[in-house]
């Protein structure tokens, strides 16, 4: 399997994601699910399903032929890890949007999917009502999460600071505190920017202020600091 992946990573053409109508590749190990998703896309959106794949080998063998610019990826492909495939896509020369579609609880896997490089996470139970919306949001360069997940992030961002952080951040404002919580949860700058309605540059500035106040060596160390603070 590794040899197939490595070969494809080197040979994949770069797709052109600027087209208004997307070419979508559906990756799921169950044929009835693939058919259902195909039907939803064809009925509710202007986009074209250019192919289907049932497992990792099938996926890598097809993307060079069908050249999708949008991939809908299941997490579990008969025991194979869909999120690892997402990470491999992001390491490749192939440029596409990726929407993770899964039966697994979004509270457990949505953040992992985004950290792996996915542009959104949609529960299969919600696909019938939200797949067209999810695809369009990703095409518009925005992260797709359910309203429930956005509310969880809002609650997380408004939690009290751990005592060790509160003392060092006493001179900083609420936006700094919210960004501290979101970075500590492993969210990317892009996602925090969308969530708070700020430019990326502003999020980075707030984050750097927080890093300086906490005397941390890097932004990446904020998560470890937060976990240690909560345990102390």
């Amino acid at each position: 399997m590794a040899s197939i992946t490595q070969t494809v990573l080197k040979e994949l053409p770069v797709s052109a994601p600027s087209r208004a109508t997307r070419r979508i590749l559906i990756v799921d190990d169950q044929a009835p699910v693939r058919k259902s998703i195909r039907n939803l896309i064809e009925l509710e959106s202007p986009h074209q399903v250019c192919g289907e794949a049932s497992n990792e080998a099938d996926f890598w063998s097809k993307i060079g032929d069908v050249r999708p610019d949008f991939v809908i990826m299941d997490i579990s492909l008969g025991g194979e890890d869909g999120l690892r495939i997402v990470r491999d896509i992001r390491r490749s020369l192939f440029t596409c949007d990726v929407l993770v579609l899964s039966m697994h609880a979004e509270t457990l896997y949505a953040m992992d999917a985004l950290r792996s490089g996915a542009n959104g996470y949609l529960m299969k139970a919600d696909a019938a009502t939200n797949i067209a919306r999810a695809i369009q949001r990703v095409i518009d360069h925005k992260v797709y999460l359910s309203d429930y997940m956005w509310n969880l992030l809002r609650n997380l961002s408004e939690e009290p600071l751990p005592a060790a952080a509160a003392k060092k951040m006493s001179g900083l404002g609420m936006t700094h505190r919210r960004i501290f919580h979101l970075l500590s949860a492993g969210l990317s700058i892009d996602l925090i920017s969308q969530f708070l309605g700020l430019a990326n540059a502003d999020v980075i500035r707030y984050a750097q202020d927080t890093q300086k106040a906490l005397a941390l060596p890097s932004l990446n160390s904020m998560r470890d600091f937060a976990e240690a603070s909560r345990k102390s």
Side-chain angles (χ1 to χ4, degrees):
M1 182 61 61
S3 60
I4 294 175
T5 303
Q6 291 167 0
T7 299
V8 174
L9 293 184
K10 292 177 181 178
E11 296 179 354
L12 278 177
V14 176
S15 65
S18 60
R19 294 193 295 268
T21 301
R22 294 297 195 266
R23 292 172 51 79
I24 300 177
L25 177 62
I26 301 170
V27 187
D28 194 288
D29 62 335
Q30 298 187 32
V33 173
R34 297 196 303 272
K35 181 179 180 180
S36 176
I37 298 304
R38 175 188 281 271
N39 289 341
L40 285 170
I41 292 171
E42 292 176 346
L43 284 172
E44 299 184 13
S45 80
H47 309 298
Q48 173 192 359
V49 176
C50 63
E52 300 178 11
S54 61
N55 54 47
E56 182 177 5
D58 196 15
F59 168 74
W60 288 115
S61 69
K62 285 185 176 175
I63 57 174
D65 295 329
V66 301
R67 301 189 182 189
D69 41 37
F70 198 110
V71 172
I72 295 178
M73 177 73 66
D74 191 9
I75 281 184
S76 300
L77 299 170
E80 296 173 339
D81 185 355
L83 296 188
R84 180 175 56 77
I85 300 174
V86 174
R87 291 191 291 272
D88 284 342
I89 292 172
R90 293 306 179 219
R91 286 194 290 264
S92 76
L93 298 177
F94 186 70
T95 302
C96 67
D97 292 318
V98 179
L99 175 66
V100 169
L101 180 69
S102 178
M103 64 178 290
H104 298 293
E106 57 190 345
T107 52
L108 297 177
Y109 290 99
M111 292 301 103
D112 283 344
L114 297 181
R115 284 191 287 266
S116 294
N119 302 94
Y121 191 99
L122 176 64
M123 294 281 291
K124 286 182 178 178
D126 298 330
T129 53
N130 288 329
I131 194 163
R133 174 185 169 211
I135 291 171
Q136 190 56 53
R137 184 170 176 85
V138 170
I139 289 172
D140 291 339
H141 307 292
K142 298 177 181 178
V143 171
Y144 178 82
L145 292 172
S146 71
D147 293 339
Y148 177 73
M149 281 301 298
W150 286 117
N151 285 332
L152 283 183
L153 291 179
R154 183 174 298 106
N155 292 338
L156 169 66
S157 73
E158 294 173 356
E159 287 182 356
L161 290 170
K167 183 176 181 179
K168 294 180 178 181
M169 293 175 60
S170 59
L172 302 181
M174 178 58 70
T175 301
H176 291 92
R177 299 178 186 185
R178 299 184 78 183
I179 289 175
F180 167 81
H181 282 304
L182 297 172
L183 282 174
S184 299
L187 274 66
S188 68
I189 295 295
D190 283 343
L191 181 55
I192 294 172
S193 175
Q194 290 181 41
F195 177 68
L196 296 179
L198 297 172
N200 280 16
D202 290 331
V203 172
I204 292 171
R205 179 170 54 82
Y206 281 112
Q208 289 173 337
D209 289 346
T210 304
Q211 175 191 342
K212 183 178 180 180
L214 296 174
L216 298 175
S218 68
L219 294 181
N220 291 334
S221 60
M222 201 171 296
R223 188 176 186 181
D224 291 338
F225 174 86
E227 290 179 356
S229 298
R230 291 187 182 101
K231 293 176 182 178
S232 61

